[in-house]
Amino acid sequence: MENYTLTLQPWVWLVIGILVFTIEALGVGGFLLGIGVAAFCQAILLWIFGNMTWQIQLLIFAVNSVGFSVLYWKYFRSFNEKSDNSLINDRASQLIGTSVEIREPLIDGRGRVQIGDTLWKVESADQLTEGSHAAVVASKGMTLVLEKR
């Protein structure tokens, strides 16, 4: 009767790493990154130190998986949440700082102005008359807040 023992080669860990990163690319949200990095590190360690039993390999892989996952969540997760354009879906906030000309007087501090091809609801604590200039200083939902210039 032959004695078969389980041996894991470096290519096995590379395949595991590639599979984990492929699953991660489908949109898991960073949960598998630590496991994928640990699999690649395990392949490198096994290539350098070739005489590791499968039990030691799995133990090192488990410790590295937890370690790399914690590192990702602590230091790199916020990197993915940053945006180059955080106001991309907030058109009213994008207009802050824009100068506008009042074409119809505001009644009780409320009215409309045209910016580009869009009529915007506006409000202002200042007395704005026809022909005066104002700047957009804030937004309240889709209402722009104006201040006299």
Side-chain angles (χ1 to χ4, degrees):
M1 190 166 208
E2 294 182 36
N3 183 12
Y4 291 102
T5 58
L6 177 63
T7 58
L8 298 174
Q9 301 298 317
W11 66 267
V12 173
W13 291 107
L14 288 175
V15 169
I16 291 171
I18 290 169
L19 287 174
V20 168
F21 278 131
T22 303
I23 294 169
E24 176 64 40
L26 297 175
V28 178
F31 295 107
L32 299 177
L33 287 175
I35 296 170
V37 171
F40 284 125
C41 287
Q42 187 61 41
I44 292 169
L45 285 172
L46 188 57
W47 181 62
I48 294 170
F49 308 105
N51 295 336
M52 274 195 256
T53 64
W54 66 270
Q55 294 94 339
I56 296 296
Q57 289 181 45
L58 290 179
L59 179 65
I60 293 171
F61 173 71
V63 169
N64 282 340
S65 293
V66 171
F68 287 125
S69 294
V70 168
L71 281 175
Y72 170 76
W73 286 102
K74 188 169 184 175
Y75 295 107
F76 299 110
R77 184 169 182 228
S78 62
F79 176 77
N80 290 335
E81 295 172 357
K82 293 180 184 172
S83 173
D84 290 341
N85 192 351
S86 60
L87 301 176
I88 195 163
N89 291 322
D90 190 357
R91 181 73 177 121
S93 292
Q94 290 178 8
L95 294 173
I96 294 174
T98 303
S99 182
V100 296
E101 181 181 348
I102 307 301
R103 295 192 179 160
E104 43 185 76
L106 275 62
I107 301 170
D108 295 327
R110 297 182 185 275
R112 298 181 308 170
V113 296
Q114 184 166 357
I115 301 175
D117 61 352
T118 305
L119 280 174
W120 289 87
K121 286 194 239 179
V122 295
E123 62 182 45
S124 177
D126 299 332
Q127 186 71 308
L128 298 174
T129 58
E130 188 175 339
S132 62
H133 290 275
V136 179
V137 294
S139 66
K140 295 178 182 175
M142 293 303 290
T143 301
L144 303 176
V145 179
L146 301 180
E147 204 172 80
K148 193 171 189 172
R149 280 226 157 155

